[in-house]
Amino acid sequence: MKNNIVIVTSNDTLKLAKEANIMAFLFPLKEYSVGFKKTFRIDEIHINNSYLYINATLTNDDISSLKHLLNNLNDNIKGIFFEDLGLLEVLKDTKLEKILMNYHVSTNYKSINYFLDYFDDVVLSTDITKKEMEEILKKSKKKLSIYEFGKLPLMYSRRLLLTNFANYYNLPINTEKTIYEKINNESFSVLENELGTIIYSKKFYFNDLYNEKINFYIINPLGLSEEEEKVLFTNLKNDKNILTDINIPLFNRFLNEETIYKLPAKDVI
């Protein structure tokens, strides 16, 4: 699949993506993104068809710095994926492609078609089923993108949760950790930088939906071993299912079961 965007988490991943003939690249922007082991400064991004990713909550000073940064971009940077709707005001006078990538707001075709009056593309929510995605794609007035593979970001906080916990209990500070929830016996991956903390699902989300109205298929190899990354990109190069010969735990419940927004009323005895 040659129209994938890859969220690049290391220079090694970028090398593998080039070898797999990937056509577009998504770079978490240093000082504006959180939840990645590797972020990139603008002057480190030289490859064509590059996109920036901004997912941190920004201060007034951050936004002022971002405005200056966007005035000095090279032509190899085509657009920006971002979560905060407020950034649209900052980006409105730029020629960059504006792509909304918020994992929880793009859940129905009416709101998405409204967003598409202002955005060039919207990434479908990972909270909805494959059937719901197909219905939205059918009714959307532009092509849309999907998050095809990767760990799901379940929570973001601007607070330094790992650092605060370590300081409170007088423990060594570790900005990458696996935490456990005892009731359901679930584990989660936690990553922290100076912009806050993201908690990821330990398992990997995989959406095998194919549709002609999908613009980008987004792949985030964060959390794969080096060997698993090599296999993934080899599969991409050979047009195979990306998980062939990769044995990892999957979390696809949202793709098959509708999200419960309100529990049904119970009979009163």
Side-chain angles (χ1 to χ4, degrees), residues 19-267:
E19 292 172 351
N21 300 320
I22 299 299
M23 300 296 290
F25 304 85
L26 185 53
F27 291 87
L29 186 59
K30 189 175 181 63
E31 297 181 352
Y32 299 95
S33 61
V34 59
F36 299 93
K37 294 182 181 180
K38 169 67 177 175
T39 57
F40 294 82
R41 301 189 312 271
I42 291 294
D43 59 9
E44 294 179 295
I45 303 171
H46 305 293
I47 193 168
N48 289 332
N49 295 320
S50 294
Y51 291 77
L52 306 178
Y53 183 40
I54 296 174
N55 68 337
T57 299
L58 304 180
T59 65
N60 290 340
D61 289 341
D62 293 333
I63 291 173
S64 297
S65 299
L66 180 61
K67 286 180 179 179
H68 176 74
L69 193 66
L70 296 179
N71 289 329
N72 297 282
L73 295 180
N74 294 325
D75 292 339
N76 66 307
I77 296 176
K78 299 299 183 184
I80 301 184
F81 285 68
F82 57 98
E83 297 192 19
D84 189 339
L85 289 168
L87 284 181
L88 188 61
E89 184 68 21
V90 177
L91 298 167
K92 65 180 182 180
D93 295 326
T94 72
K95 296 180 180 179
L96 296 166
E97 292 177 36
K98 304 166 189 66
I99 303 170
L100 178 63
M101 187 175 175
N102 187 305
Y103 293 90
H104 308 295
V105 303
S106 49
T107 58
N108 64 84
Y109 75 89
K110 288 187 177 181
S111 62
I112 287 173
N113 279 334
Y114 175 80
F115 291 143
L116 289 173
D117 288 336
Y118 304 93
F119 294 88
D120 298 292
D121 187 2
V122 172
V123 180
L124 286 172
S125 171
T126 53
D127 295 341
I128 58 179
T129 65
K130 190 185 299 186
K131 183 178 179 181
E132 289 170 323
M133 291 181 184
E134 289 171 337
E135 183 69 13
I136 292 171
L137 287 165
K138 187 189 302 181
K139 295 180 178 180
S140 66
K141 56 188 177 184
K142 294 180 184 178
K143 285 188 173 184
L144 304 173
S145 295
I146 68 168
Y147 188 72
E148 182 179 14
F149 173 77
K151 294 188 173 186
L152 291 180
L154 302 176
M155 192 201 82
Y156 165 59
S157 173
R158 181 77 190 212
R159 295 180 176 88
L160 306 183
L161 299 180
L162 294 179
T163 296
N164 292 345
F165 181 87
N167 288 337
Y168 185 84
Y169 288 102
N170 196 27
L171 298 171
I173 294 174
N174 189 345
T175 56
E176 180 181 348
K177 194 174 181 63
T178 297
I179 61 174
Y180 299 90
E181 188 273 304
K182 296 180 181 179
I183 296 176
N184 295 303
N185 196 29
E186 292 282 352
S187 58
F188 304 89
S189 301
V190 187
L191 286 174
E192 175 191 287
N193 67 11
E194 68 278 2
L195 295 173
T197 311
I198 282 191
I199 298 179
Y200 286 101
S201 61
K202 190 68 174 177
K203 297 177 181 178
F204 291 82
Y205 175 91
F206 174 54
N207 184 355
D208 61 355
L209 174 65
Y210 178 80
N211 189 296
E212 291 182 353
K213 286 189 70 176
I214 294 176
N215 189 25
F216 291 121
Y217 296 81
I218 301 166
I219 294 176
N220 182 1
L222 178 71
L224 293 178
S225 67
E226 290 185 11
E227 188 58 37
E228 288 166 340
E229 284 185 353
K230 291 177 182 177
V231 174
L232 181 145
F233 286 107
T234 298
N235 290 340
L236 283 172
K237 184 175 182 179
N238 296 327
D239 288 325
K240 288 184 177 181
N241 182 307
I242 62 175
L243 295 185
T244 300
D245 298 324
I246 300 178
N247 184 22
I248 54 175
L250 295 179
F251 181 74
N252 289 343
R253 183 187 308 159
F254 295 150
L255 283 174
N256 304 308
E257 300 177 17
E258 291 187 6
T259 301
I260 298 174
Y261 295 100
K262 183 178 180 181
L263 291 173
K266 293 184 179 180
D267 293 333

Side-chain angles (χ1 to χ4, degrees), residues 10-26:
S10 70
N11 292 325
D12 290 338
T13 305
L14 179 58
K15 180 176 181 290
L16 290 170
K18 289 179 181 178
E19 292 172 351
N21 300 320
I22 299 299
M23 300 296 290
F25 304 85
L26 185 53

